[in-house]
Amino acid sequence: MTLIQEKVNQAIEILKEQEIDMWLTFVRETSGVRDPVLDFLVGSGDLTWQSALIFTRNGDKIAVIGNLEKDALQRLDVFDELTGYDTSISEPLRDTITRLNPNQIAINTSRNNVHADGLTHAMYEILRGHLKETPYVDRLVSAEPIINALRGRKTSVEQARVKKAIEITDKIYQSTFEYIKVGMTEIEIGAYMHKLAGEYDVTFAWPADSCPAVNSGPYSPVGHTGPTDIKVERGHLIHFDFGVKYEGYCSDIQRVVYVLREGETSAPPEVQRGFITVRTAIEKSREAMKAGATGNSIDVISREIITDSGYPEYPYALGHQLGRVAHDGGALLGPLWDKYGESPNQKLEVGQVFTIEPGLAVPNFGYIGLEEDVVITKNGAEYFTTPQTEIVLIKG
Amino acid sequence: MTLIQEKVNQAIEILKEQEIDMWLTFVRETSGVRDPVLDFLVGSGDLTWQSALIFTRNGDKIAVIGNLEKDALQRLDVFDELTGYDTSISEPLRDTITRLNPNQIAINTSRNNVHADGLTHAMYEILRGHLKETPYVDRLVSAEPIINALRGRKTSVEQARVKKAIEITDKIYQSTFEYIKVGMTEIEIGAYMHKLAGEYDVTFAWPADSCPAVNSGPYSPVGHTGPTDIKVERGHLIHFDFGVKYEGYCSDIQRVVYVLREGETSAPPEVQRGFITVRTAIEKSREAMKAGATGNSIDVISREIITDSGYPEYPYALGHQLGRVAHDGGALLGPLWDKYGESPNQKLEVGQVFTIEPGLAVPNFGYIGLEEDVVITKNGAEYFTTPQTEIVLIKG
């Protein structure tokens, strides 16, 4: 069974569980705007004209598509019914939906999860136009719960790919730590990591110009920004944020290194204290993670450990799901801030893979951010990464 | 000046010309759903949290974005004003719009052009929420005319990139024609073209598994589908559809080859007749293309030449614009079919690059589809490709 067939079957099980009659993915010219769920339903290929991919809780797998794309879709061996058209999808789409007569039609629109939000506003209006004067125009609901479950509950094949991406990322980190010398720029270090990724034949978990992030010392801008020409100096904390994509699945790992000053054999106490605080926040959060807990209840644990230790609150969520993209959407280990919508209130489920990534700045030294990747199992959260438990020391 | 700076300045000129006060691109987590205009406004990088990119006819260039992404955007040297936020975009966005007090706010929603349709339905609703109880919620208009002009009117830098993509595609075709032997499968030929593309360090104009399309003989499925294990035989027409992407800009070219049977020194009369019909349809269409003509008026010319010669009507548009993607949107050389919306009624403009690609099947031999790329100048349409004027003959 292909991964696409496996995920489509999983989608039908989710429709049964959530008691939704029909899930309709409605797209066009996906080279322009691509609905993220297409990766699961048809793979990496594009659809050109208005296309409807329909799945029902009865197990129907139907595509209504341009005639010129029937062959390509047929080859996937996913759809039991392929209806082609030349000039307008309107009639075959309306006929198909009328025949199936669903009580709810879930469509890909979501305020909370961008990965469940592939339907553009104009396509929403076009769909309503196709269905006008039918009862179905009033039966549209959000497919967010379906897509959250489908993306979140990783099959064993998906988990194995994330693990492999993590394994490769680890190796790249180890080689990089051996490579770093005082006087190198962040850009040089980033370029070396790119070279290693090429040797492992992987791409990046987010756009290459900010993957990795490399922050050497206290003045390097931390955030979604690329390496700068700041040079590594003795007494710098170097912070990394890096991930690769292996067969469509991502890793996302932060690591920290300290460059010893002359005479030092370990990091200064304030650096060690910062490291232990972050490490503790991760471990305590992981221990609390289990199916049924809300993401917010986990975020609170880490956030309090950081602030109770006297550090400022980090202005981002503790962790996000990891999958086909680094920020995979759905349940979020996050604070209840407007920008995160309802995602922090969602409950954790078995099979979800999360990052845990608190951080803090140590004045005069640099940034400490650690990021571990974990999977939710029946027994709680298990590490996919080998956690960083000590600061990596580099001789100056 | 970078290409991004050049296109942003062009956008402001277009706002003046179209008398639109403000253009607002509103996005989030663009690794999930990516508004196609971001390529022009910020390049290949992603934006994570709700972000507003605002341009006005007065020349304002403003971004309201997550604080962690200010540095990355600052580096582009495009925006005069960067407002960062941590928890919610709502207030800074509303304040910025209120201060500028636009009469119209163009947003990226379009029934006709997917490349002007990057705003999802939920983001449209979220935007309306941010603007509720302000007069601006009722001033939203479609940015389709702005984006059509911005994408369509290629600058000299953009035209040069398309030309270079075409040049590389031509070379790949020439090498491929020398490589083809009777007994090879379509898949082998496609793999060879992929290898050549790798040597030229280019990617593909559409997803690799159907780029190139290779159709050998009368039974190969023509359309948006990849090569099959059908083998090249004597007496086959081989049809190719292929394009590459060079520095973000695409080529899109179809070519045909005939495999001579024993004793033949030229293609059979019915094959030649088909070829000449397609070639004539292209040339007559090109001659009629000029700024101000509608795309439909050009489509009609080719369509009639094909059908008046006794061939069935091809079930697709005569040609589309070419740019950052193979199907670049906006004005279309197309029939007035529902699936094409209003695009065939739009007028051609100087600087637009179009494909011209009629086709027909020759029973028992295969498919003849030629595709040339042209640019609209003040003097009409000029070829960017070196047109195929004779069938390429391969010894059997």
Side-chain angles (χ1 to χ4, degrees):
Chain A
M1 195 183 293
T2 66
L3 182 55
I4 294 175
Q5 290 166 338
E6 194 179 14
K7 292 304 282 186
V8 164
N9 289 343
Q10 191 182 18
I12 287 169
E13 293 307 310
I14 291 166
L15 290 176
K16 289 179 188 166
E17 173 191 318
Q18 299 185 354
E19 301 183 348
I20 302 288
D21 283 354
M22 177 183 288
W23 177 27
L24 167 64
T25 293
F26 184 55
V27 298
R28 64 172 169 181
E29 283 285 10
T30 59
S31 67
V33 175
R34 190 174 162 86
D35 186 320
V37 301
L38 289 179
D39 290 343
F40 297 96
L41 306 181
V42 298
S44 61
D46 278 320
L47 294 165
T48 305
W49 303 282
Q50 287 179 33
S51 305
L53 309 177
I54 294 170
F55 303 97
T56 73
R57 66 198 285 199
N58 294 327
D60 300 292
K61 303 168 185 174
I62 301 172
V64 186
I65 48 164
N67 269 322
L68 288 181
E69 290 174 335
K70 274 180 80 170
D71 282 305
L73 230 55
Q74 184 73 59
R75 285 195 207 179
L76 297 176
D77 201 11
V78 162
F79 297 93
D80 300 323
E81 187 182 317
L82 284 162
T83 302
Y85 75 90
D86 281 329
T87 66
S88 172
I89 198 174
S90 203
E91 200 177 307
L93 177 61
R94 201 166 45 240
D95 289 353
T96 302
I97 290 177
T98 303
R99 168 164 58 86
L100 297 165
N101 192 26
N103 285 312
Q104 315 85 16
I105 304 176
I107 56 173
N108 301 348
T109 185
S110 164
R111 295 175 82 94
N112 302 301
N113 183 357
V114 70
H115 302 291
D117 194 36
L119 186 70
T120 69
H121 179 58
M123 285 292 279
Y124 172 79
E125 295 291 347
I126 289 169
L127 177 62
R128 289 181 62 91
H130 291 320
L131 299 180
K132 73 166 187 267
E133 290 164 26
T134 76
Y136 309 107
V137 74
D138 298 318
R139 297 184 188 177
L140 303 176
V141 300
S142 167
E144 182 188 319
I146 299 165
I147 296 171
N148 282 358
L150 184 68
R151 292 191 77 103
R153 299 174 192 172
K154 264 79 176 173
T155 67
S156 56
V157 170
E158 292 179 291
Q159 292 189 25
R161 292 187 188 182
V162 173
K163 265 191 196 165
K164 180 78 182 175
I166 288 169
E167 203 180 294
I168 292 169
T169 309
D170 253 346
K171 287 182 182 163
I172 291 174
Y173 267 132
Q174 293 316 316
S175 304
T176 302
F177 297 158
E178 289 166 20
Y179 172 79
I180 298 171
K181 297 268 180 301
V182 168
M184 279 181 183
T185 64
E186 293 174 359
I187 289 171
E188 283 175 85
I189 296 170
Y192 183 71
M193 294 172 78
H194 276 203
K195 180 175 155 286
L196 293 175
E199 290 171 10
Y200 284 106
D201 202 18
V202 289
T203 56
F204 302 104
W206 57 90
D209 52 4
S210 59
C211 184
V214 184
N215 302 109
S216 192
Y219 303 116
S220 180
V222 175
H224 292 178
T225 181
T228 71
D229 52 14
I230 290 174
K231 287 181 177 167
V232 171
E233 294 178 24
R234 290 184 179 81
H236 272 189
L237 270 167
I238 313 178
H239 166 251
F240 293 87
D241 192 352
F242 184 55
V244 305
K245 187 175 279 193
Y246 171 81
E247 290 191 4
Y249 285 78
C250 295
S251 62
D252 186 0
I253 305 178
Q254 291 176 51
R255 290 290 175 255
V256 289
V257 162
Y258 176 71
V259 188
L260 294 166
R261 290 177 295 199
E262 276 182 59
E264 281 182 337
T265 54
S266 61
E270 58 267 56
V271 171
Q272 293 199 39
R273 182 169 172 271
F275 183 91
I276 291 162
T277 306
V278 172
R279 174 67 205 134
T280 305
I282 290 174
E283 182 57 15
K284 292 293 173 196
S285 303
R286 185 196 65 82
E287 285 173 1
M289 288 172 80
K290 59 177 182 197
T294 68
N296 180 246
S297 73
I298 309 302
D299 179 85
V300 165
I301 295 168
S302 165
R303 205 165 289 278
E304 281 187 4
I305 291 173
I306 301 289
T307 53
D308 286 356
S309 305
Y311 298 99
E313 184 178 359
Y314 42 92
Y316 47 81
L318 171 64
H320 52 78
Q321 289 190 61
L322 191 60
R324 285 198 167 266
V325 287
H327 294 177
D328 206 41
L332 180 82
L333 313 181
L336 300 174
W337 294 343
D338 177 68
K339 71 175 176 183
Y340 295 128
E342 281 301 308
S343 300
N345 287 323
Q346 292 180 12
K347 289 176 179 167
L348 309 192
E349 291 189 341
V350 170
Q352 291 173 336
V353 178
F354 278 96
T355 67
I356 312 180
E357 47 174 316
L360 54 84
V362 183
N364 305 318
F365 290 95
Y367 194 77
I368 295 181
L370 297 175
E371 182 174 17
E372 307 298 346
D373 303 336
V374 304
V375 63
I376 312 290
T377 72
K378 283 179 194 163
N379 307 317
E382 291 175 7
Y383 284 115
F384 262 180
T385 42
T386 306
Q388 181 174 3
T389 54
E390 290 183 358
I391 303 181
V392 175
L393 298 174
I394 291 185
K395 281 183 190 154
Chain B
M1 195 182 293
T2 66
L3 182 55
I4 294 175
Q5 290 166 338
E6 193 179 15
K7 293 303 281 186
V8 163
N9 289 343
Q10 190 182 21
I12 287 170
E13 292 308 310
I14 291 166
L15 290 176
K16 288 178 188 166
E17 175 192 316
Q18 298 185 356
E19 301 183 347
I20 303 288
D21 283 354
M22 178 184 286
W23 176 27
L24 167 63
T25 293
F26 184 56
V27 298
R28 64 172 169 181
E29 282 284 11
T30 60
S31 68
V33 176
R34 190 175 162 85
D35 186 320
V37 302
L38 289 179
D39 290 343
F40 297 96
L41 306 182
V42 300
S44 60
D46 278 320
L47 293 165
T48 305
W49 303 283
Q50 288 180 33
S51 306
L53 308 178
I54 294 171
F55 303 97
T56 74
R57 66 198 285 198
N58 294 327
D60 299 293
K61 302 166 183 174
I62 301 171
V64 186
I65 49 165
N67 269 321
L68 287 181
E69 290 173 334
K70 273 180 81 171
D71 281 306
L73 229 55
Q74 184 73 60
R75 287 194 205 179
L76 297 176
D77 201 12
V78 162
F79 297 93
D80 300 323
E81 187 181 317
L82 284 163
T83 302
Y85 75 90
D86 280 329
T87 66
S88 172
I89 198 174
S90 202
E91 200 176 307
L93 176 61
R94 201 166 45 240
D95 289 353
T96 303
I97 290 176
T98 303
R99 168 165 56 86
L100 296 166
N101 191 27
N103 285 312
Q104 316 85 16
I105 304 175
I107 55 172
N108 301 347
T109 184
S110 164
R111 295 175 82 93
N112 301 300
N113 183 358
V114 71
H115 302 291
D117 195 36
L119 186 71
T120 69
H121 179 58
M123 284 293 277
Y124 172 79
E125 295 291 347
I126 289 169
L127 176 63
R128 289 181 62 92
H130 292 319
L131 299 181
K132 73 167 185 266
E133 291 165 26
T134 76
Y136 308 107
V137 74
D138 298 318
R139 297 185 188 175
L140 304 175
V141 300
S142 166
E144 181 188 320
I146 299 166
I147 296 171
N148 282 357
L150 184 69
R151 293 190 77 102
R153 299 175 193 172
K154 265 80 177 173
T155 67
S156 55
V157 170
E158 293 179 291
Q159 291 189 25
R161 292 187 188 181
V162 174
K163 265 190 196 164
K164 180 78 181 174
I166 288 170
E167 203 179 295
I168 292 168
T169 309
D170 252 347
K171 286 181 182 164
I172 291 174
Y173 267 133
Q174 293 314 317
S175 304
T176 304
F177 297 158
E178 288 165 19
Y179 172 80
I180 298 170
K181 296 268 180 298
V182 168
M184 279 181 183
T185 64
E186 295 173 358
I187 289 172
E188 284 175 85
I189 296 169
Y192 183 71
M193 294 172 79
H194 276 202
K195 181 175 154 285
L196 294 174
E199 290 172 10
Y200 284 106
D201 202 18
V202 289
T203 56
F204 301 104
W206 57 91
D209 54 3
S210 60
C211 184
V214 183
N215 303 108
S216 192
Y219 304 116
S220 180
V222 174
H224 293 177
T225 182
T228 70
D229 52 14
I230 290 174
K231 287 182 178 165
V232 172
E233 294 178 24
R234 290 184 179 81
H236 273 189
L237 269 167
I238 314 178
H239 165 251
F240 294 86
D241 192 353
F242 184 54
V244 305
K245 187 176 279 194
Y246 171 81
E247 290 190 4
Y249 285 79
C250 295
S251 62
D252 186 0
I253 305 178
Q254 291 176 50
R255 290 291 175 252
V256 289
V257 162
Y258 176 72
V259 188
L260 293 167
R261 291 176 294 199
E262 276 182 60
E264 280 182 335
T265 53
S266 61
E270 58 267 54
V271 171
Q272 294 201 36
R273 182 169 170 272
F275 183 89
I276 291 162
T277 306
V278 172
R279 175 65 206 137
T280 304
I282 290 175
E283 181 58 15
K284 292 293 172 194
S285 304
R286 184 195 65 81
E287 286 173 1
M289 289 172 81
K290 59 178 181 196
T294 69
N296 180 246
S297 73
I298 309 301
D299 180 84
V300 165
I301 295 168
S302 165
R303 205 164 288 277
E304 281 187 5
I305 290 172
I306 302 288
T307 53
D308 286 357
S309 305
Y311 298 99
E313 184 177 359
Y314 43 92
Y316 47 81
L318 172 63
H320 51 79
Q321 289 190 60
L322 190 60
R324 285 198 168 266
V325 286
H327 293 178
D328 206 41
L332 180 82
L333 313 180
L336 302 173
W337 295 343
D338 177 67
K339 72 174 175 182
Y340 294 128
E342 282 300 308
S343 299
N345 286 323
Q346 293 179 11
K347 288 177 179 165
L348 310 190
E349 291 189 341
V350 170
Q352 292 172 335
V353 178
F354 278 96
T355 67
I356 312 179
E357 47 174 315
L360 53 84
V362 182
N364 305 317
F365 290 95
Y367 194 76
I368 294 181
L370 297 175
E371 181 175 17
E372 307 297 347
D373 303 337
V374 304
V375 63
I376 312 289
T377 71
K378 284 179 192 162
N379 307 316
E382 290 175 8
Y383 284 115
F384 262 0
T385 42
T386 306
Q388 181 174 4
T389 54
E390 290 183 357
I391 303 180
V392 175
L393 298 175
I394 291 186
K395 282 184 188 152

